[in-house]
Amino acid sequence: MMEQHKEKMCNFCGETCEIVGDSTGEIKENSGLIDANVSGGYGSTPGNGNGTLDDCTKYTFSLCEWCLDWLFEQFKTPPTTSDYMSPDEAAEPYIPAVERVTLDSWRVKKKKFFDERRRRMIKRHETTKY
Ligand SMILES: [Zn+2]
């Protein structure tokens, strides 16, 4: 039985995690980190323990590809990459999407990319509460 598609929203930018999965625009799929979970432990509890997540609490969230790539750019150590279609071959090291789009001539929807990137950047900054 085919699972019913349900649009997921990114907890960071508040926008959709949904991308169009085919050239007709009919097939839509969620992409990014969808319904990720992390839990705090006894030693985590902020203010009493040594971390930031409360004990016995599971946190569930989703991050769109735009926000994931933005986070990857902030990492001191970039994420490792691998080619899941050819596991024996070495993959290209991580390069931020903005650099790949800028440098690769075969990536032809540059304006669309930069417009969406800018829109998500603005959305992320609006979510700052403190
Ligand atoms: Zn996002």
Side-chain angles (χ1 to χ4, degrees), residues 7-95:
E7 180 184 26
K8 291 290 180 178
M9 303 306 285
C10 175
N11 286 75
F12 200 164
C13 71
E15 296 294 299
T16 183
C17 293
E18 192 173 64
I19 60 171
V20 176
D22 72 345
S23 59
T24 68
E26 291 179 11
I27 297 177
K28 294 180 177 165
E29 55 196 28
N30 290 306
S31 189
L33 192 57
I34 306 300
D35 290 336
N37 293 301
V38 63
S39 301
Y42 180 74
S44 301
T45 307
N48 291 338
N50 298 302
T52 62
L53 305 177
D54 277 331
D55 189 18
C56 302
T57 302
K58 181 169 86 172
Y59 303 80
T60 302
F61 59 94
S62 297
L63 292 171
C64 72
E65 291 190 15
W66 299 91
C67 290
L68 277 175
D69 191 66
W70 183 85
L71 285 169
F72 292 167
E73 287 183 72
Q74 315 308 309
F75 287 5
K76 271 200 185 322
T77 304
T80 57
T81 58
S82 59
D83 183 341
Y84 62 80
M85 296 297 284
S86 308
D88 295 334
E89 292 181 31
E92 296 284 322
Y94 170 75
I95 298 170

